[in-house]
Amino acid sequence: RDWKLIVTPDDRDLPDELYHLAADPRESTNLAADPDHAATLARLRGALNRLAAETGLDDSGLPGPGTAS
């Protein structure tokens, strides 16, 4: 687990956070806005979106209509 992505779907005003845990175990440098890490951010966002779709979560992070709560 070299990377950590933090999103706050219920507060769109908060920026995403991306940390390279192997290089920054204290999570002091947010790399989400760093163009050098755009591919990693896109990969992790894609994985999160697939997980949300598979589990019935909508983009707010809450169960979508017709899903068990």
Side-chain angles (χ1 to χ4, degrees), residues 2-7 16-20 37-51:
D2 288 339
W3 294 95
K4 180 176 183 178
L5 174 64
I6 301 171
V7 296
D16 290 349
E17 297 178 48
L18 177 68
Y19 299 101
H20 186 232
H37 300 288
T40 299
L41 181 60
R43 178 178 56 82
L44 293 174
R45 280 184 180 157
L48 182 59
N49 289 338
R50 283 188 300 279
L51 179 62

Side-chain angles (χ1 to χ4, degrees), residues 19-67:
Y19 299 101
H20 186 232
L21 298 177
D24 180 20
R26 294 179 185 235
E27 301 174 19
S28 59
T29 304
N30 183 0
L31 300 171
D34 186 329
D36 289 340
H37 300 288
T40 299
L41 181 60
R43 178 178 56 82
L44 293 174
R45 280 184 180 157
L48 182 59
N49 289 338
R50 283 188 300 279
L51 179 62
E54 290 169 6
T55 59
L57 294 177
D58 63 18
D59 65 355
S60 71
L62 302 173
T67 60

